[in-house]
Amino acid sequence: MNYLNILIPFVGGLGMFIYGMQIMAQGLENAAGNRMKSLLEVLTKNKMMGVLLGAVITAVIQSSSATTVMVVGFVNAGIMNLTQAMGVIMGANIGTTVTGWLVSSVEWAKVLSPSTLAPIAIMVGVVIMLIGKRRSSKEVASIIVGFGLLFVGITTMSSAVAPLQDSEGFRNIFVTLGSNPLLGILAGTLVTAIIQSSSASVGILQSLAAAGLVPFSAAIYIIMGQNIGTCITAILSSLGAKKNAKTAALMHLLFNVIGTVIFSVGAILYFEVLNTDIGAGVITQTQISMVHTAFNIGTTVLLFPVSNWIIKLAKKIGRVEEDEQDRSRVLLDDRILETPAIALQSVVNEVERMGQIVLESMEAAKTVLFTQKEEEIQFLKEEESTVDRLSAGITNYAIKLSSLQISEKEHQSVAHLLQIVSDMERISDYCENISEFAETLYEKKESFSDVGKEQIKEMLDVCTDSYRYALDSLVEQSKEKAFRVIEKETQADDLEISLRSKHIKRLTNNQCNTEAGIVFLDSLVCLERISDHARNIAEEVLEDLT
């Protein structure tokens, strides 16, 4: 038997299977688009919601490894805690079973026979891709073509290994794996770790099963090993990350290892004591899908009540405690870029967080000119440094995101966010300038006149409201709030002209101190520019909403 003639088409089929899976997943992800973004909000919910989220995202992107890598990124960025991560990890194990059901559908849905359906799917997809003009058409085409290629790949693999049915040596290998649980688990672990995809390794197992080569017992142990092998991607991804992120990867490993140990013991008892004949029987593709799904759902149901213990064990092994969040650290991670739709929502969340910090600076600026307290002056300076670091980090991340294959609408959203970040950073600069004006008044032991205080308070209120409405328009995606900003900005412009004129008259009539008067005028300039930047933010929001 010429094994080279078997290996070459088998490897080619595997490559086509993985490529088809990736194309289909990318099409599904792009089509999901905004829905994927909204799923991020679920991360703030309970652990059960995390399980559902993990299952849905993994079903869409067709890879539990990619989902857990994303989880590591979220934890490393500080936007997901370990409890939330545990839920998503459990859900990812369930979501990854979808690919197996697609492959086994050739048995329980005869109309989906690869020999007839795959070429038709590819042809239909290509036609849509060539004649379709809309972005949604291209996404549908990607899904259909990927679906076809996946089936062509699995058919090629199955055909390649068909001659091995007559190989006693090859059959004996699987008999050995079935009679020795440790070897079966190890085989599944190594294959999955090498190709870094449990979906692909299950596809390989199903192609061998289609050729009638895999005993039931061997398949059980190999599937369990595949769940352990899929952890390698997250573990490698966590290298160089914070301890919390490494703990998240360790949680994934512990969860799968514990589940494998429990179900392996059950499988051994079943095959060796309760039903000694079934283990030697040949397993089908559909049965592999059933076992894979039952194992992952069963593990989740069994370990969900004690998942907090797994978290504690992982933290103890990793010698880590969750640290208090540093506000100046950018809560974004390159791992999340693997899923651009969610990465974009992460940027939006981070811009909103930065906006809240700037709002705190605005509120502090409303009083610092009058109190001239050293701690308030220092607070504004520290806040400005925090905003500078956030601005730089968000900008760099957004640029990386814009370089990916994202839609035109998403490119526009990134551009709007970059401009908003710039405007927020400038507002923070002006707030720091106001703190420096307060420092000048304190050093010179000067203050505004009573009339000057009332007037500058009025300007502060208008400009603070202008920025608050701008931030609300971003967070709520509200056109109404954005138009309120424009009204406030016009009011601030008129007020600045009026107050400047009145103040110059007071200076001319010697009704106020010259030193304090200069600070008054400089403060008016800063506040008027703050309202300008608030209007810029509102206009970016309006453009993004159109």
Side-chain angles (χ1 to χ4, degrees), residues 362-374 376-377 380 434-435 437-439 441-442 445-461 464 499 516 519-520 523-524 527:
M362 282 294 302
E363 293 292 346
K366 287 178 66 174
T367 60
V368 72
L369 284 171
F370 313 117
T371 62
Q372 300 170 18
K373 289 182 179 179
E374 185 177 350
E376 291 184 2
I377 293 170
L380 280 167
I434 290 172
S435 75
F437 299 154
E439 197 170 25
L441 291 175
Y442 176 77
K445 299 186 177 358
E446 298 288 352
S447 62
F448 300 139
S449 64
D450 290 341
V451 175
K453 286 179 181 178
E454 290 302 316
Q455 291 180 345
I456 204 72
K457 279 181 181 178
E458 184 180 6
M459 187 69 173
L460 279 162
D461 286 340
T464 302
L499 296 183
V519 171
F520 183 94
S523 298
L524 283 181
L527 290 170

Side-chain angles (χ1 to χ4, degrees), residues 171-185:
R171 283 181 174 276
N172 289 335
I173 291 174
F174 279 99
V175 171
T176 302
L177 294 177
S179 61
N180 191 321
L182 185 59
L183 284 179
I185 292 170

Side-chain angles (χ1 to χ4, degrees), residues 376-403:
E376 291 184 2
I377 293 170
Q378 188 60 34
F379 170 79
L380 280 167
K381 290 181 178 180
E382 290 173 357
E383 291 289 89
E384 203 281 325
S385 295
T386 295
V387 170
D388 278 350
R389 288 194 289 273
L390 289 175
S391 174
I394 294 171
T395 299
N396 290 336
Y397 192 87
I399 291 171
K400 289 179 185 178
L401 176 58
S402 66
S403 68

Side-chain angles (χ1 to χ4, degrees), residues 27-311:
L28 285 165
E29 183 184 332
N30 290 338
N34 293 328
R35 295 180 184 87
M36 291 284 284
K37 296 178 188 177
S38 63
L39 283 174
L40 193 63
E41 299 174 3
V42 181
L43 296 177
T44 60
K45 307 298 181 182
N46 58 36
K47 199 186 300 177
M48 179 58 74
M49 296 302 293
V51 173
L52 295 175
L53 174 68
V56 170
I57 290 180
T58 305
V60 170
I61 64 179
Q62 298 279 297
S63 173
S64 61
S65 297
T67 301
T68 50
V69 166
M70 190 165 56
V71 167
V72 169
F74 281 139
V75 173
N76 195 52
I79 58 178
M80 182 190 285
N81 60 40
L82 293 176
T83 301
Q84 293 165 334
M86 189 75 234
V88 179
I89 286 169
M90 289 188 285
N93 278 12
I94 297 172
T96 196
T97 62
V98 170
T99 308
W101 283 107
L102 284 175
V103 172
S104 65
S105 64
V106 299
E107 290 183 344
W108 50 266
K110 298 299 183 181
V111 71
L112 298 179
S113 172
S115 59
T116 57
L117 183 64
I120 294 173
I122 294 173
M123 192 62 226
V124 170
V126 170
V127 169
I128 295 174
M129 195 175 293
L130 291 174
I131 66 176
K133 302 299 181 183
R134 299 175 61 183
R135 174 174 170 254
S136 57
S137 299
K138 303 289 186 183
E139 291 161 358
V140 170
S142 294
I143 296 170
I144 296 173
V145 170
F147 188 73
L149 288 175
L150 183 148
F151 274 129
V152 171
I154 198 72
T155 303
T156 304
M157 285 193 291
S158 299
S159 300
V161 298
L164 293 175
Q165 294 178 68
D166 302 323
S167 171
E168 283 298 321
F170 203 80
R171 283 181 174 276
N172 289 335
I173 291 174
F174 279 99
V175 171
T176 302
L177 294 177
S179 61
N180 191 321
L182 185 59
L183 284 179
I185 292 170
L186 185 60
T189 301
L190 288 176
V191 171
T192 307
I194 290 169
I195 63 178
Q196 296 195 24
S197 172
S198 61
S199 295
S201 62
V202 169
I204 292 173
L205 187 64
Q206 287 177 305
S207 69
L208 294 169
L213 294 169
V214 186
F216 207 98
S217 57
I220 299 291
Y221 301 129
I222 291 171
I223 288 170
M224 293 180 188
Q226 288 168 340
N227 269 40
I228 296 175
T230 195
C231 299
I232 189 66
T233 310
I235 291 172
L236 291 174
S237 174
S238 70
L239 298 177
K242 290 177 60 184
K243 285 187 175 181
N244 265 356
K246 293 177 181 175
T247 303
L250 185 57
M251 279 164 25
H252 185 211
L253 178 62
L254 286 173
F255 178 79
N256 285 351
V257 168
I258 293 171
T260 296
V261 170
I262 293 172
F263 281 90
S264 292
V265 172
I268 291 170
L269 289 174
Y270 184 76
F271 291 134
E272 299 296 329
V273 179
L274 299 178
N275 195 332
T276 56
D277 296 328
I278 192 172
V282 176
I283 196 169
T284 66
Q285 291 178 314
T286 302
Q287 287 172 331
I288 288 175
S289 298
M290 292 171 65
V291 169
H292 191 210
T293 303
F295 171 58
N296 283 308
I297 292 178
T299 302
T300 299
V301 171
L302 191 65
L303 297 184
F304 185 88
V306 296
S307 56
N308 287 336
W309 294 353
I310 296 176
I311 296 172

